Amino acid sequence: MRVPLSWLREYVDLPATETGRDVQAKLISAGLEVETVEQLGHDLKGPLVVGQVLTIEELEGFKKPIRFCTVDVGQANGTGEPQEIVCGARNFAVGDKVVVVLPGAVLPGNFAIAARKTYGKTSHGMICSGDELGMGDDGSHGIIVLPQETEVGKDAIELLELVDEVLDIAVTANRGDCLSIRGVARETAIAYGLPLRDPALLDVPGPNAFGYPVQVSDPVGCDRFTARTVTGLSPEARSPLWLQRRLQKVGMRPISLAVDVTNYVMMEVGQPLHAYDRTLVQGTIGVRRATEGEKLVTLDGVERTLHTEDLVITDERGPIGLAGVMGGANTEIADHAESEGTTDVVIEAAHFDAVSIARTARRHKLSSEASKRFERGVDPQASSAAAQRTVDLLMLLAGGTAEAGVTEVIAPSAPHTIAVPADHPDKVAGVVYGRETVVRRLQEIGCDVYGQDELIVTVPSWRPDLGEGNDLAEEVIRLEGYENLPSTLPKPPSGRGLTHRQRLHRRVGRALAGAGYVEAPNYPFVGEQVFDQLGLDADDPARRVVRLTNPLNDEEPALRTSLLPGLLAALRRNDGRGSHDLALFETGLVFLPREEQGVAGQLPVDRRPTAEEIAAIDAVLPEQPRHVAAVLAGAREQAGWWGKGRPADWADAVEAARSVAAETGAELIVRKGQYGPWHPGRCAELAVVTDGTERVVGHAGELHPRVLKALGLPARTSAMELDLDVLEQAGDDTPRAPGISTFPVATQDVALVVDAYVPHADVEAALREGAGELLEAIRLFDVYENAEQLGDGRKSLAYALRFRAGDRTLTVDEASAARDAAVALAGERTGAVLRG
């Protein structure tokens, strides 16, 4: 909301020394967000005067039309002689009054004016447009043409009110009253402790039977409708300069007198209005819900298909306006002209349901100044005063006559009252204000307050956001000053720290960060098309998603069942921006719908919910296990003088999974697997044993080329994902000191030849079991394939076996016996034979 300081001073007698910055500080202290104070005309320097065009000579031979004009500026130029000016505009004629800037002046943007030769003539100044003076568009798209009664030589800076300060206020959704000069003036008056001249306090005639006929069929959608009629408006009447300038300062473009007056009153009082050309309205004006398929051409020229929830204004033909949003083109006010302008108008000042207007505006993607106000809350009691103010201005500016008929359709309603203890604001703020202060502050915002210890507060009609005691407490606190609240640090009970689960998640994050991964949290929303891009089977459980009723993005209406879509999207974005060597990870919740869907009950707000109530809520929520995932692309080790470096591959993804498992204390089983987005020949299935049962907890490896192409990922991208909750259940992360033996290790190397399809994991498991308790560690250090030496379809796996006893030095025979037992069991289970 843009608020000119000059307009604000009409309703609050601010000290003459107060600047826009001073008012800004006061309003911010009172809780309004004043973003900027615009200094209009601060860089403008005269002489800038009113002139009258005496002659116009058309200059020929140039690429664009050029005119050489003589302009009477009175004594402003010191000589009284006509001023010679070259101008390219075409929207003025001989005899017109215009704005002339003379040599020596400076226009906004530090544009100095001097006499200069151009187009073969010397131009002594310039005839100005609104844009050149920083006024904005006045609808003419050219030179400012002033009314004929304007005095020649008059100071145009004062005439056009070019010097002013404008406060730009970011109005929150609950403060619709501040989307008007009236509302901001009320806050200013409270902040300064000054009286308010309320522009809505007018003498308004009561309703009678002679007004324009109105029928409201939906009193819930429209609880108040005021109609007034003005006839005999002058078609030639134009909006006066002061009205045009005020509209421009608040960010609106002048259009025509009748429209400008309704916009002016809306900005002044906060009540949106609409003016209908009475000659174009046929029969009774009605308010009802639209029927399916009805169409309406709105004032912006767009034909709109209406929805059954849309509230519309109608006449005998059908819809003539989208209630609270925009009028229809079939009853549009005609612009001023010699003989075709509108002379008779019907003024509408109504109050519509906020939710209905908000939904209609969003449904039609049509946000207007009226809809912004209705959906934030408009004072229903101001409609009659706004209509009267509009009638008064039309009669004053266009010579119209107000018909005696006054129509008011009002749905019965009672004022909203709130019972609140007098010390409630004290308890909320932790400050003792006292009853007197609480009552005074509530009365300042317009409340009627009765009672002693228990206050009965009647909320003013312009504050629909005040619904309960806490809202009233907030009003007292903000008016007393947020800066006066004491700063008190919370005191948590001793002996409580992070939970076991929180400590585990932090350890996992530190482990991956230490391995070179960067944490990349993502939003938990996905579009279901990503499952096709990941190559998931049609019956894959991961395709069952929880859909959001009101998604932030229509393209991502579901909650994720995997962390990979978000991480891979982050990897793609970074790769597209030039970061090609990437290693990202994330820990976060995934959302798995339950087999039986339920509806959550409403928890109480006046007490802590019981354990049973919380359990009932949890029972209908989707399962939310925490996963950990990592993705890699590009170089894992950079090349340099020390070596060639190494690209990231599937083994790095598996190693990341091992690092996570090590933090949980779980023993990870790694074996060949095949699932969804991973390459079938380069995918590891990851499992753990929990409660005696083996459970698959994730996969790791290189992604399938089809997935890389579908998602636009770099070649050979690798990924891993694990169920962190299951790992936590399977592991025992109790810290254990390592056992240090004083006896030497005995190392035995074996190379086993097996069929190429035999997994290394099976061979290692057999060796480990066969070697027995003496085996300390086993490591695969070489894989060799050569058809000439090993035969077709065969491979060699070389392992280093480390043996050690805790109570003695092993002999060669003991180490060899353990090795032979390991080889024998591997041969029995996998068909392995010693190479050589």
Side-chain angles (χ1 to χ4, degrees), residues 546-625:
V546 176
R547 291 178 179 82
L548 300 171
T549 302
N550 187 23
L552 296 178
N553 183 352
D554 291 339
E555 295 181 359
E556 295 180 334
L559 293 173
R560 65 189 178 191
T561 56
S562 167
L563 301 183
L564 289 183
L567 270 181
L568 293 175
L571 186 141
R572 180 180 64 247
R573 284 194 302 272
N574 283 274
D575 180 73
R577 295 171 183 172
S579 299
H580 303 303
D581 303 325
L582 297 163
L584 310 177
F585 83 94
E586 178 182 7
T587 61
L589 301 179
V590 299
F591 304 86
L592 310 177
R594 297 182 186 272
E595 294 296 333
E596 295 183 4
Q597 299 293 327
V599 178
Q602 192 169 13
L603 291 176
V605 295
D606 57 345
R607 59 176 173 80
R608 174 178 169 78
T610 65
E612 292 76 13
E613 289 171 331
I614 296 175
I617 293 291
D618 290 339
V620 297
L621 293 177
E623 296 182 18
Q624 301 175 54

Side-chain angles (χ1 to χ4, degrees), residues 95-262:
D96 282 345
K97 301 287 182 68
V98 294
V99 178
V100 179
V101 57
L102 300 177
V106 179
L107 295 185
N110 198 29
F111 179 40
I113 302 298
R116 65 188 184 97
K117 190 170 184 179
T118 179
Y119 297 104
K121 302 283 186 178
T122 300
S123 182
H124 298 273
M126 188 170 70
I127 302 175
C128 297
S129 68
D131 286 338
E132 289 165 338
L133 298 179
M135 295 169 54
D137 182 18
D138 62 355
S140 66
H141 304 289
I143 293 302
I144 301 171
V145 179
L146 301 172
Q148 279 299 315
E149 61 270 18
T150 309
E151 178 185 350
V152 172
K154 183 178 178 62
D155 184 3
I157 295 178
E158 179 183 351
L159 175 69
L160 299 177
E161 301 178 13
L162 297 179
V163 178
D164 202 350
E165 294 180 278
V166 179
L167 285 70
D168 193 351
I169 303 175
V171 179
T172 55
N174 66 320
R175 291 303 304 272
D177 61 304
C178 288
L179 285 175
S180 66
I181 303 297
R182 177 195 185 200
V184 177
R186 181 181 293 108
E187 291 295 319
T188 306
I190 295 172
Y192 279 91
L194 296 172
L196 169 70
R197 288 188 292 274
D198 191 340
L201 291 180
L202 300 175
D203 291 331
V204 179
N208 53 53
F210 309 108
Y212 198 94
V214 174
Q215 181 178 358
V216 177
S217 302
D218 189 339
V220 174
C222 176
D223 58 7
R224 184 179 290 262
F225 195 106
T226 301
R228 299 289 299 276
T229 304
V230 181
T231 60
L233 299 177
S234 171
E236 298 85 14
R238 297 179 56 183
S239 300
L241 285 175
W242 65 265
L243 193 150
Q244 293 186 45
R245 287 297 295 134
R246 286 194 170 178
L247 289 179
Q248 289 173 333
K249 289 177 184 179
V250 298
M252 302 193 76
R253 181 173 64 87
I255 299 174
S256 64
L257 177 59
V259 175
D260 292 348
V261 167
T262 58

Side-chain angles (χ1 to χ4, degrees), residues 245-315:
R245 287 297 295 134
R246 286 194 170 178
L247 289 179
Q248 289 173 333
K249 289 177 184 179
V250 298
M252 302 193 76
R253 181 173 64 87
I255 299 174
S256 64
L257 177 59
V259 175
D260 292 348
V261 167
T262 58
N263 286 336
Y264 177 85
V265 175
M266 175 181 67
M267 303 307 295
E268 181 182 57
V269 181
Q271 167 67 52
L273 301 108
H274 190 70
Y276 301 94
D277 189 328
R278 183 176 179 178
T279 61
L280 300 178
V281 179
Q282 299 180 10
T284 301
I285 292 178
V287 183
R288 61 168 172 83
R289 299 288 173 174
T291 58
E292 192 65 39
E294 272 190 309
K295 297 184 182 298
L296 170 68
V297 178
T298 46
L299 290 174
D300 57 359
V302 177
E303 183 179 71
R304 303 184 184 277
T305 300
L306 304 179
H307 188 274
T308 54
E309 291 186 5
D310 291 335
L311 199 64
V312 292
I313 310 299
T314 64
D315 65 3

Side-chain angles (χ1 to χ4, degrees), residues 520-704:
N522 295 284
Y523 289 118
F525 311 117
V526 296
E528 295 180 64
Q529 72 279 358
V530 75
F531 300 128
D532 296 326
Q533 297 170 328
L534 291 175
L536 299 185
D537 294 336
D539 59 348
D540 194 300
R543 284 183 175 269
R544 293 186 63 243
V545 296
V546 176
R547 291 178 179 82
L548 300 171
T549 302
N550 187 23
L552 296 178
N553 183 352
D554 291 339
E555 295 181 359
E556 295 180 334
L559 293 173
R560 65 189 178 191
T561 56
S562 167
L563 301 183
L564 289 183
L567 270 181
L568 293 175
L571 186 141
R572 180 180 64 247
R573 284 194 302 272
N574 283 274
D575 180 73
R577 295 171 183 172
S579 299
H580 303 303
D581 303 325
L582 297 163
L584 310 177
F585 83 94
E586 178 182 7
T587 61
L589 301 179
V590 299
F591 304 86
L592 310 177
R594 297 182 186 272
E595 294 296 333
E596 295 183 4
Q597 299 293 327
V599 178
Q602 192 169 13
L603 291 176
V605 295
D606 57 345
R607 59 176 173 80
R608 174 178 169 78
T610 65
E612 292 76 13
E613 289 171 331
I614 296 175
I617 293 291
D618 290 339
V620 297
L621 293 177
E623 296 182 18
Q624 301 175 54
R626 182 172 289 271
H627 282 203
V628 57
V631 294
L632 306 96
R636 186 65 176 137
E637 296 177 3
Q638 295 290 336
W641 58 265
W642 53 83
K644 296 181 179 180
R646 180 178 67 81
D649 60 17
W650 61 269
D652 294 300
V654 174
E655 185 58 31
R658 291 185 188 276
S659 299
V660 172
E663 292 298 326
T664 67
E667 185 176 346
L668 196 64
I669 300 171
V670 181
R671 57 176 175 246
K672 181 179 179 181
Q674 181 174 346
Y675 175 70
W678 280 278
H679 193 298
R682 298 167 187 164
C683 173
E685 183 180 81
L686 310 174
V688 294
V689 176
T690 174
D691 297 330
T693 304
E694 186 176 288
R695 293 180 61 180
V696 175
V697 293
H699 295 81
E702 183 180 315
L703 297 182
H704 198 289

Side-chain angles (χ1 to χ4, degrees), residues 435 439 449-456:
R435 180 189 177 280
V439 171
V449 185
Y450 303 95
Q452 292 298 318
D453 295 337
E454 185 79 10
L455 302 179
I456 305 300

